[in-house]
Amino acid sequence: MRTALVLNPASGSVRDPQAVVDLLRESGASEVVRFACGEEAAAVASGADRLIVAGGDGTIGPSARAAADAGVPLGVLPAGTANDFARALGLPLDLAAAARVALAPTPATRPAEVCLTADDRPFVNAANAGLAVRAAREASGMKARLGPLAYMAGAARAGLRAPAIGVQVTLDGRPFFDGEAWQVSVSGTGRFGGGSAVGETDQDDGLLDVTIVPAVNRRSLVRRAYGLRRGTLGEQHDVPHERARRVRVHLDADDDHRGFNVDGELVVVATLEVHVHPRRVAVIVP
């Protein structure tokens, strides 16, 4: 089995790239050709039977798009801190177990949507504005000590300190929300922050899930946080939730906290436009 591997050596579990290559060979790959982040198109053009990506959530989006474009299955070795995409699809978090799944001779696959921003940035989980951005900033210095728990600690700090954001959201060109919000999520899987989830999303409907937490009072964030950890936020009656093909989120220009957390990567813009890639990626699952 000829395997193309896209590997992010900056991820915590793949500091030794050769160890990942050896793991794939031990799991059944007869040939492994390694590519760097940014070389996803070359990886799928190399004649490989499947594409495997090793890294955190932010590494997966470009590989997912490349695999979808080429029509090859995607295997995922979750090697980041949060690994929310793997959790969403029920993939093993242990690298050896994940390698066996990714290299199954007759793999089972599950379709997953690839989301694209207007500047062609692919992502698979969520683009968030508001508290999730502040929480990620708070968590960044605690990841080495706390691992995934850093996101919970960061979220707690953000909930106590961060202000609401002024935001306007349009869905397929029609107004959806205009006001102050604690958080706006534009979702693929809807998972983020090491186990938080906006709720059930359909990975095969060609639509984005949009969830808004209106800014009522800070005490209400306790119930919102509970919904995020339970994956039921979108079911709360006073949380606007809708699906659309194209989403535009504009943050007030004078807001010091503007910016978006896109699968763990901070994107500092005032306006984010998102649509769904026309082809789903076939992710190899247990």
Side-chain angles (χ1 to χ4, degrees), residues 11-274:
S11 296
S13 301
V14 291
R15 300 286 184 186
D16 182 358
Q18 187 57 47
V20 179
V21 173
D22 293 342
L23 178 62
L24 292 177
R25 287 175 176 157
E26 293 167 4
S27 301
S30 59
E31 181 181 359
V32 180
V33 183
R34 198 174 83 204
F35 295 86
C37 294
E39 297 178 336
E40 294 81 8
V44 295
S46 67
D49 299 295
R50 64 191 66 181
L51 176 63
I52 293 180
V53 56
D57 289 311
T59 308
I60 295 172
S63 291
R65 178 176 60 177
D69 287 339
V72 300
L74 178 70
V76 176
L77 302 186
T81 303
N83 299 317
D84 286 303
F85 186 73
R87 296 173 194 274
L89 274 74
L91 304 177
L93 299 181
D94 174 76
L95 286 186
R100 290 191 293 271
V101 168
L103 291 167
T106 308
T109 62
R110 177 178 167 184
E113 288 163 350
V114 182
C115 311
L116 293 171
T117 64
D119 62 351
D120 209 36
R121 175 190 293 266
F123 67 95
V124 289
N125 289 325
N128 292 305
L131 289 182
V133 175
R134 180 67 173 267
R137 287 172 173 159
E138 295 279 0
S140 62
M142 299 183 282
K143 288 182 182 179
R145 290 183 292 110
L146 300 180
L149 292 177
Y151 292 99
M152 294 181 65
R157 289 185 179 181
L160 291 172
R161 303 174 183 176
I165 56 172
V167 61
Q168 298 85 47
V169 181
T170 59
L171 308 183
D172 294 329
R174 59 182 174 83
F176 178 61
F177 182 88
D178 186 350
E180 289 200 330
W182 292 117
Q183 182 162 303
V184 178
S185 298
V186 181
S187 303
T189 69
R191 298 289 189 106
F192 62 93
S196 294
V198 298
E200 291 299 321
T201 59
D202 187 341
Q203 284 290 291
D204 201 26
D205 64 357
L207 300 173
L208 298 157
D209 283 73
V210 181
T211 309
I212 298 174
V213 178
V216 181
N217 57 63
R218 204 170 290 273
R219 292 190 304 275
S220 69
L221 291 175
V222 175
R223 184 159 58 95
R224 307 309 187 205
Y226 179 78
L228 282 171
R229 300 311 295 184
R230 297 272 298 179
T232 58
L233 177 66
E235 299 172 14
Q236 295 183 5
H237 74 277
D238 48 354
V239 171
H241 173 235
E242 188 60 85
R243 293 186 171 101
R245 295 190 181 280
R246 291 184 174 271
V247 178
R248 182 180 186 273
V249 181
H250 177 74
L251 308 179
D252 286 348
D254 58 352
D255 191 331
D256 291 336
H257 298 275
R258 65 180 178 271
F260 295 81
N261 182 339
V262 182
D263 277 2
E265 306 292 330
L266 180 62
V267 179
V268 182
V269 294
T271 302
L272 191 75
E273 297 184 7
V274 184

